[in-house]
Amino acid sequence: MVGLVLAILALTGTAPRAPLLAFERQRIGTDNYEAASAFDVNNDGAIDIVSGAYWYEGPAYQVAHKIAEYQRVSDYYDDFSDYPMDVNGDGWTDIVTGGYFGQTLQWIENPKGAEGLWPLHKVAQVGPIERNLFHDIDGDGFVEVMPTTSPVHIFRLVRDAEGKGTGQFTDFVIAQPGGGGHGMGAGDVNADGRVDLVFSTGWFEAPEKPYEGQWNWHPELTLCSDASVPILVYDVNKDGLPDIIVGHGHDYGLDWWEQGKSAEGDRTWTQHVICSERSQYHDIQLVDIDKDGEPELLTGKRYRAHAEADPGSLDPVGVYYFEINGGQFERVTLDYGPAGQASGAGIYLWMEDVDGNGWPDVIAPGKDGLYLFRNLGPQP
């Protein structure tokens, strides 16, 4: 299914601004895997798409190859991330994943283009993984892997002298109490140049040497108990103080929390509502989708996150981004409607210029199927 979608501003009383972006929507898969990513799977120069147990050949995405068998529990598959990483350094990109039910961080090994299931490697059993977070914690140019578990684990890929992966990970555990549970993010909260870790009830302040020093817990936040993965750290109002953006993963609501200073110099946090009428903002991302030099907030509704138990579970699904505008958020809709006719956002969205036209495209997995939104750029 391919169709042209014109992104429209969806705030009452807000006139659409020209030029608008146009997106071509393509439904790729019908399975209900909730994670996806894009990379060159078979090293043929084309960007392919991976979602759950399958990879789809680019650029048409009409041919699927099965690569894994994931445990199914109710209407979930136990694959909550599909992050591309050359784990063993052989020049072929592998996939790092993990699941809530299997409670195990693992990676599947790209068999250098060969057909059949990819070899599965278990890294560690760490507890229920709501989703993995991938972020460069130590500033060495490589991302670390952090499952959303308690205690907090930071898995670092062991690399050789040439910087190639060795197939092994070291596990650093933040032993201090705090953190973990639903919701997790990474960013420089106190603007000291280090990457901190944020949770729904506070944040860990990173030491100068993240794998040697002590991470200090600041229990000064009271976000939502169903916080999104990730929680974002971004200076929304450009006042020099990093703020926090968080979605309600299992309820209605999307908020930003403004960082301030009290008269005594203590940090303060003030909640601002971005959206209250749509639910299940489980994955939120910052990306410059319109190439104006400023990031937008990409998100959407996760379909049937807890089957039909969550508020708004059966509401229309959608994919949208918000122009941030210094805190005056404006929603731009890529897709919206009943599941099966429109796309939701799943648990792990992906942005990639799959067709090389210079504009970032949106890959949206979910229990309602796998969709690609090709960004065609501005239209008059």
Side-chain angles (χ1 to χ4, degrees):
M1 179 176 66
V2 178
L4 189 64
V5 180
L6 190 66
I8 58 173
L9 286 174
L11 289 187
T12 303
T14 303
R17 296 165 298 172
L20 296 173
L21 296 177
F23 292 85
E24 184 181 76
R25 183 183 68 182
Q26 176 184 355
R27 187 168 188 173
I28 297 173
T30 58
D31 291 305
N32 56 347
Y33 298 100
E34 294 197 70
S37 63
F39 59 94
D40 186 357
V41 172
N42 56 351
N43 286 1
D44 67 349
I47 298 296
D48 309 300
I49 292 176
V50 171
S51 182
Y54 296 92
W55 74 271
Y56 301 85
E57 291 185 24
Y61 309 111
Q62 298 296 311
V63 178
H65 302 263
K66 190 166 186 178
I67 60 176
E69 291 280 3
Y70 290 114
Q71 177 189 11
R72 184 161 188 175
V73 179
S74 183
D75 58 355
Y76 291 88
Y77 282 101
D78 206 28
D79 170 55
F80 284 60
S81 304
D82 283 333
Y83 192 86
M85 181 186 294
D86 185 1
V87 176
N88 58 0
D90 64 355
W92 296 77
T93 304
D94 313 300
I95 299 168
V96 179
T97 183
Y100 186 89
F101 303 99
Q103 304 187 14
T104 303
L105 179 66
Q106 54 196 15
W107 64 282
I108 57 174
E109 180 181 352
N110 189 330
K112 301 181 180 179
E115 292 294 329
L117 301 185
W118 293 15
L120 173 67
H121 303 268
K122 294 183 178 181
V123 179
Q125 188 165 7
V126 292
I129 300 174
E130 183 75 21
R131 209 198 80 173
N132 289 315
L133 183 71
F134 301 89
H135 201 96
D136 183 2
I137 296 295
D138 51 15
D140 65 353
F142 301 107
V143 301
E144 280 69 54
V145 185
M146 290 151 287
T148 51
T149 58
S150 181
V152 178
H153 296 258
I154 303 176
F155 288 91
R156 189 183 189 195
L157 180 60
V158 178
R159 298 179 182 274
D160 63 18
E162 298 179 351
K164 296 180 180 180
T166 64
Q168 301 297 318
F169 290 84
T170 59
D171 179 11
F172 175 81
V173 179
I174 298 179
Q176 290 76 19
H182 203 299
M184 183 180 188
D188 188 0
V189 175
N190 57 353
D192 66 352
R194 303 169 191 166
V195 178
D196 309 304
L197 296 177
V198 185
F199 302 87
S200 60
T201 57
W203 60 284
F204 272 121
E205 180 180 355
E208 182 178 358
K209 297 182 178 180
Y211 308 118
E212 298 178 21
Q214 177 171 314
W215 291 71
N216 293 320
W217 177 246
H218 298 273
E220 61 194 35
L221 292 173
T222 306
L223 305 179
C224 47
S225 60
D226 61 341
S228 55
V229 186
I231 300 167
L232 300 175
V233 180
Y234 178 71
D235 186 1
V236 170
N237 55 0
K238 305 297 185 183
D239 65 353
L241 297 176
D243 308 302
I244 287 173
I245 306 174
V246 60
H248 291 254
H250 299 281
D251 205 337
Y252 288 91
L254 177 65
D255 307 313
W256 73 280
W257 290 75
E258 180 182 0
Q259 184 177 168
K261 294 289 184 184
S262 69
E264 294 74 27
D266 298 324
R267 269 183 304 274
T268 62
W269 298 97
T270 303
Q271 182 182 13
H272 302 274
V273 175
I274 299 172
C275 173
S276 61
E277 74 275 11
R278 295 187 181 181
S279 73
Q280 297 179 65
Y281 287 102
H282 208 285
D283 186 13
I284 60 176
Q285 299 185 23
L286 291 174
V287 60
D288 187 3
I289 198 168
D290 57 8
K291 297 175 60 176
D292 65 352
E294 295 287 340
E296 284 72 48
L297 177 63
L298 174 69
T299 184
K301 180 184 184 299
R302 183 184 176 199
Y303 180 52
R304 292 176 58 86
H306 282 160
E308 299 178 12
D310 288 346
S313 179
L314 298 180
D315 288 355
V317 296
V319 176
Y320 6 91
Y321 65 87
F322 290 81
E323 298 280 1
I324 296 177
N325 299 328
Q328 302 300 312
F329 287 78
E330 296 175 295
R331 186 176 64 238
V332 181
T333 300
L334 275 65
D335 209 10
Y336 186 73
Q341 299 179 28
S343 173
I347 200 171
Y348 198 68
L349 283 162
W350 194 265
M351 297 292 301
E352 190 83 22
D353 180 9
V354 300
D355 51 17
N357 70 346
W359 294 87
D361 308 304
V362 180
I363 301 165
K367 293 190 178 79
D368 52 334
L370 174 65
Y371 289 80
L372 167 65
F373 294 85
R374 294 180 187 266
N375 188 345
L376 306 181
Q379 304 294 304

